[in-house]
Amino acid sequence: MDNIVNCASYANGKRIENLKLEDISEVLAKEDQFVWLGLRDPDEALMKQLQEEFGLHELAIEDAHRAHQRPKIESYGDILFIVMRAIALDENNNQVEIGETHFFLGQNFLVSIRHRSSLTFVDVRSRCETTPHLLQKGPGFVLYAIMDYIVDQYFPVIDFLSEELDKLEDQIFAEKLNTNITENIYRLKSKLIEIKRVSFPLIDICNKLMRFDTDPLIHDDIKLYFRDIYDHAVRINEMIDSAKEQLTSALEANLSLTSIYQNEISKKFAGWAAIIGIPTMMAGIYGMNFEYMPELHWRYGYPAILFFIIGLCMVLYWFFKRSKWL
């Protein structure tokens, strides 16, 4: 099936054989082996078969099939059901892709199910198979290896968003009254909030996996490794919070600079309006058609008034220029 990426049995830290789905129940009956099954976007029929082979709870199967779950960890008897969000950066269009990965962890099996995710776990499987001394600790180590790989993919995405934030800050102080900057800030902030929503529950998930009540699903030696994922999750959330604060400051700076620029425009309009008001006022006075106006019959009245208007306008222009209104 195209939905089955890989299915194999392991014993003593070594790969034994590839398995068909219908043969899994026979391997699960052996105490010295465990099964690692990887699925991608399985259909309902495959999920039903999965439920029968591993004895999974129907509610967990329903969640795993429908996807669109929040990151969480739930216990169904002696089986753990874990949901994580996988984040990747599409280098072709610089877009952030968010997929979903589900895990079923039993005492002698691990099932990983990917939904709408471009990440592959081929490298993870190879790395696990090259460390037999850890792989022999059971499926708990496999769960750690996959979770660690997923969390590591968060950092390039956050670094990319931080670079976008730096570019926005440069644009804020380099350009004037660019409405696209405010829009881009809100878009970037929405992406950070979305990543925060999927990364924050990782702290609780790792805390529960490190607790002693996960025996015997996770070997005590492997529980220490989940502390590393916990540290990464805390660091990721701190980076997101810092970026959000920086975005808020950038938005405030952009709004302040926009307000200052608009005030500068208003001052220029006011200055030019005052200058234009001089000839308008003089034209209004001499356009009232009074009969007895001494300047009307003066030979030099027109050039005198004209030079007076020009001179007064030049004085106002000098004053506003000195005051940096123009």
Side-chain angles (χ1 to χ4, degrees), residues 137 140-141 144 206-230:
K137 303 293 184 180
F141 172 72
Y144 154 75
C206 292
N207 272 327
K208 291 181 178 179
L209 290 173
M210 288 188 296
R211 290 187 330 200
F212 294 101
D213 56 4
T214 54
D215 293 333
L217 298 180
I218 301 177
H219 196 278
D220 289 341
D221 295 339
I222 301 301
K223 290 179 182 179
L224 298 176
Y225 286 84
F226 286 99
R227 187 180 303 168
D228 180 62
I229 302 179
Y230 172 84

Side-chain angles (χ1 to χ4, degrees), residues 9-11 16-17 19 23-35 107-109:
S9 61
Y10 294 83
I16 302 301
E17 61 178 339
L19 298 174
D23 298 332
I24 289 179
S25 56
E26 298 178 5
V27 177
L28 295 179
K30 303 176 182 179
E31 296 183 355
D32 59 339
Q33 295 187 27
F34 73 89
V35 176
Q107 188 170 358
N108 57 350
F109 68 85

Side-chain angles (χ1 to χ4, degrees), residues 26-303:
E26 298 178 5
V27 177
L28 295 179
K30 303 176 182 179
E31 296 183 355
D32 59 339
Q33 295 187 27
F34 73 89
V35 176
W36 181 359
L37 171 62
L39 303 176
R40 181 184 62 225
D41 298 318
D43 55 21
E44 186 174 359
L46 182 56
M47 294 300 294
K48 287 291 185 182
Q49 191 175 0
L50 191 71
Q51 180 181 5
E52 294 174 0
E53 291 293 328
F54 290 96
L56 305 177
H57 198 281
E58 58 181 356
L59 293 178
I61 287 292
E62 182 180 356
D63 288 345
H65 176 55
R66 292 183 177 180
H68 299 289
Q69 301 294 315
R70 63 178 180 83
K72 62 181 179 179
I73 178 171
E74 294 177 341
S75 176
Y76 292 91
D78 57 350
I79 297 175
L80 290 180
F81 175 58
I82 303 169
V83 179
M84 289 184 66
R85 291 293 183 90
I87 301 178
L89 179 63
D90 187 350
E91 297 180 355
N92 294 326
N93 54 13
N94 288 333
Q95 294 295 323
V96 178
E97 297 179 350
I98 299 181
E100 199 165 325
T101 303
H102 299 172
F103 301 98
F104 289 100
L105 176 66
Q107 188 170 358
N108 57 350
F109 68 85
L110 178 77
V111 179
S112 62
I113 305 174
R114 291 187 289 125
H115 293 278
R116 304 177 308 278
S117 176
S118 60
L119 293 179
T120 63
F121 302 144
V122 176
D123 293 338
V124 178
R125 188 179 292 270
S126 300
R127 188 180 68 178
C128 289
E129 292 177 355
T130 56
T131 55
H133 64 288
L134 294 174
L135 191 57
Q136 68 179 355
K137 303 293 184 180
F141 172 72
V142 178
L143 174 64
Y144 154 75
I146 299 178
M147 288 182 62
D148 182 62
Y149 176 75
I150 292 175
V151 172
D152 284 345
Q153 306 310 308
Y154 282 46
F155 290 102
V157 175
I158 297 177
D159 290 339
F160 166 75
L161 296 179
S162 298
E163 292 177 0
E164 292 295 308
L165 175 54
D166 293 337
K167 293 178 182 178
L168 282 176
E169 289 181 333
D170 293 338
Q171 293 176 8
I172 288 173
F173 294 102
E175 302 178 13
K176 295 182 179 180
L177 201 60
N178 188 345
T179 56
N180 291 331
I181 292 179
T182 302
E183 181 181 355
N184 292 335
I185 288 176
Y186 275 104
R187 286 181 179 178
L188 188 56
K189 192 169 186 177
S190 65
K191 291 180 181 178
L192 287 171
I193 292 174
E194 189 174 8
I195 297 176
K196 174 77 173 183
R197 191 182 298 118
V198 302
S199 64
F200 183 75
L202 290 175
I203 297 176
D204 181 60
I205 292 175
C206 292
N207 272 327
K208 291 181 178 179
L209 290 173
M210 288 188 296
R211 290 187 330 200
F212 294 101
D213 56 4
T214 54
D215 293 333
L217 298 180
I218 301 177
H219 196 278
D220 289 341
D221 295 339
I222 301 301
K223 290 179 182 179
L224 298 176
Y225 286 84
F226 286 99
R227 187 180 303 168
D228 180 62
I229 302 179
Y230 172 84
D231 292 338
H232 287 176
V234 172
R235 181 183 170 192
I236 288 169
N237 282 277
E238 289 176 349
M239 292 172 66
I240 294 174
D241 290 338
S242 177
K244 286 171 60 179
E245 293 178 2
Q246 194 174 352
L247 270 176
T248 302
S249 300
L251 179 60
E252 292 175 353
N254 182 56
L255 294 176
S256 299
L257 291 175
T258 301
S259 178
I260 292 173
Y261 180 70
Q262 290 176 340
N263 288 336
E264 292 293 327
I265 297 297
S266 298
K267 289 195 296 184
K268 289 182 180 180
F269 276 122
W272 284 113
I275 293 174
I276 295 174
I278 297 299
T280 302
M281 180 188 66
M282 300 302 296
I285 292 175
Y286 284 94
M288 290 187 292
N289 296 323
F290 288 116
E291 183 177 357
Y292 301 103
M293 296 182 71
E295 296 85 354
L296 294 179
H297 303 285
W298 183 34
R299 180 177 180 180
Y300 301 104
Y302 174 74

